[in-house]
Amino acid sequence: MTFTFIILAIFILFIIYPLVLVLYKSFLDPISNKITLSYFIKFFSKKFYWSTLVNSFKVTICATFLSVAIGLPMAYIMRSIKISGSGILDILIVISYLSPPFIGAYAWIQLLGRNGALTKILNSMFHTKLNGIYGFAGIVLVFTLQSYPLVYMYISGALKNLDNSLNEAAESLGCTGVKRIFTIIMPLVMPTIFASSLLVFMRVFADFGTPMLIGEGFKTIPVLIYNQFMSEVGGDDGFAAALCVIVITVAILLFFIQRFFANRNTYSMTALKPMIAKKTTGIKNFFAHLFVYFVVLLSIIPQVVVIYTSFLNNNGGQVFTGGFSLKSYKATLFAKDNSVIMNTYIFGLMAIVIIVILGVLISYLTVRKRNLFTSLLDTITMFPYIIPGSVLGIAFLFAFSRKPLLLSGTALIMIIAFSIRRMPYTIRSSTAIIGQISPSVEEAAISLGASEIKSFAKITVPMMMPGVLSGAIMSWVTVISELSSSIILYTTGTQTLTVSIYTEVIRGNYGNASAYSTILTLTAILSLLLFFKLSGKREISI
């Protein structure tokens, strides 16, 4: 019980307390110090402000729908038809997902911006003047190509548990391939579709890097929050807090709606006869390969572009002058003050240590020691799962910018933010692992004289470790790619790779941005290979 209270106190301090302060500031008049609704009235009474919320919904709904429309058939095709090079394609899909969305936005600017390589070719061929990828369509394109892999991985995992005899029975009754997807496959994987759609929705809804880079006049609410809080001229903490409350309310409502529909459409499946990819021929095989290769090509283009441009010769990182050179790496990787790379790795590793230790303890307490307090702990630890990173960053600055809890500007606040943000994923995976370990194993150790703590440390933890470590590697990749909270909390001394990439793009230093992006991409690839080595898998399904 002592451990429960200590961990509960930590999460109350770093989740509940900051969020309560955000709520308080959203209703506080800074002049009279009285409770007021003026910030919310300001938001809903001016189209300039509330239209950003509408824009966010437009982008998010479209990107989520398109991600499902691509991810579902991709997963079904890869599970049912033998696709040449499927192992490599799986890895490429995962790599495209692990890359931050704003890198995709930057890469597409290089291709389809007003002066992009493809834009110049199209303008020359058709004697026109295209305005580039900017605005609503560009944002949706970037988010869709970066988010569909999440839907693909979730549904691919669900299809593993699908009994293929249902599929074969439908086929024997004359049900065509497309009809089978809508009448058999989709209803059975509907809870998975809801779960992955929620993750896509929340990720897109909370992201500000992509709309900031290519949105131009099309502003979303994360961009508005960032501008209101960080603006050197006209910044308004109270109004930013009110915007955060609106976003949190929307996120919580969406979370409970998803849970409601998922619980109503839950099925128990046992794959007595699992789906096996079969070799096909003719037009079906041709279009299956064409669809998969085309989607993977589009999704991996950003990584190819940033790696390619990182080796282009440039003038100070801004203007590419033709030919190839290592100037971008000399200005970044071999710079005298190269703390951003070390910061990224050190902060990430420290965050992963915290995530693994607390994640294992929390999952053990919530499964083996279920009571009112562990149930409360389980609920609180899920909050960062649905709260955008920028909101958490602002909440941290409200809470920890004065003594005795003066953490703002330090590396510690970055590490804590990373840990809190990624904790729910490790807790959920660890909870699933513990659920598969019989309590009788621990009881046997206790009956032989071992203490409860010793039994947990010597028996339970080693049995959990393979799964926990594999999950930790994937959490590590998401931690080093974190931008939303980092951009709010960083200082010159605590800058990370993602922040550096973003700031270099904003400054127009595309060479430097490409070099930093390449380092981040290679780190993700090496981490993915390590995941495969430790887990013994050759694919990732959730």
Side-chain angles (χ1 to χ4, degrees), residues 456-500:
F456 169 72
K458 297 288 186 179
I459 305 296
T460 309
V461 171
M463 293 177 72
M464 293 175 62
M465 268 305 108
V468 171
L469 287 176
S470 297
I473 291 170
M474 300 312 297
S475 296
W476 148 264
V477 175
T478 59
V479 164
I480 62 173
S481 302
E482 172 68 28
L483 175 69
S484 298
S485 58
S486 305
I487 200 73
I488 302 290
L489 298 172
Y490 88 97
T491 60
T492 304
T494 60
Q495 192 165 325
T496 59
L497 271 173
T498 49
V499 174
S500 298

Side-chain angles (χ1 to χ4, degrees), residues 103-124:
I103 290 181
Y106 150 65
W108 283 105
I109 289 174
Q110 294 284 81
L111 290 171
L112 291 173
R114 291 188 180 89
N115 294 311
L118 291 180
T119 305
K120 289 179 180 178
I121 294 172
L122 292 172
N123 286 341
S124 176

Side-chain angles (χ1 to χ4, degrees), residues 64 68 151 192-202 258:
T64 303
V68 173
V151 178
T192 305
I193 293 175
F194 280 132
S196 58
S197 297
L198 175 70
L199 290 179
V200 170
F201 196 102
M202 294 311 306
Q258 182 271 336

Side-chain angles (χ1 to χ4, degrees), residues 352 356 462-474 476 526-540:
I352 290 302
V356 169
M463 293 177 72
M464 293 175 62
M465 268 305 108
V468 171
L469 287 176
S470 297
I473 291 170
M474 300 312 297
W476 148 264
L526 291 174
S527 301
L528 192 61
L529 294 176
L530 183 60
F531 168 83
F532 291 149
K533 180 70 175 177
L534 291 179
S535 64
K537 298 179 180 178
R538 286 296 174 265
E539 62 180 0
I540 293 180

Side-chain angles (χ1 to χ4, degrees), residues 290-365:
L290 180 65
F291 175 72
V292 170
Y293 286 162
F294 179 70
V295 171
V296 174
L297 175 65
L298 284 180
S299 56
I300 206 65
I301 277 178
Q303 283 69 36
V304 175
V305 169
V306 296
I307 293 173
Y308 173 76
T309 53
S310 71
F311 291 101
L312 291 179
N313 194 28
N314 61 77
N315 181 16
Q318 292 187 331
V319 179
F320 297 116
T321 56
F324 296 92
S325 76
L326 295 175
K327 283 186 178 180
S328 297
Y329 290 97
K330 288 179 182 178
T332 54
L333 189 61
F334 302 110
K336 291 182 180 178
D337 181 19
N338 196 18
S339 59
V340 296
I341 298 173
M342 289 305 299
N343 285 347
T344 302
Y345 294 149
I346 292 171
F347 297 170
L349 288 171
M350 294 181 74
I352 290 302
V353 170
I354 295 170
I355 287 171
V356 169
I357 293 173
L358 286 182
V360 169
L361 284 173
I362 292 167
S363 59
Y364 179 81
L365 291 171

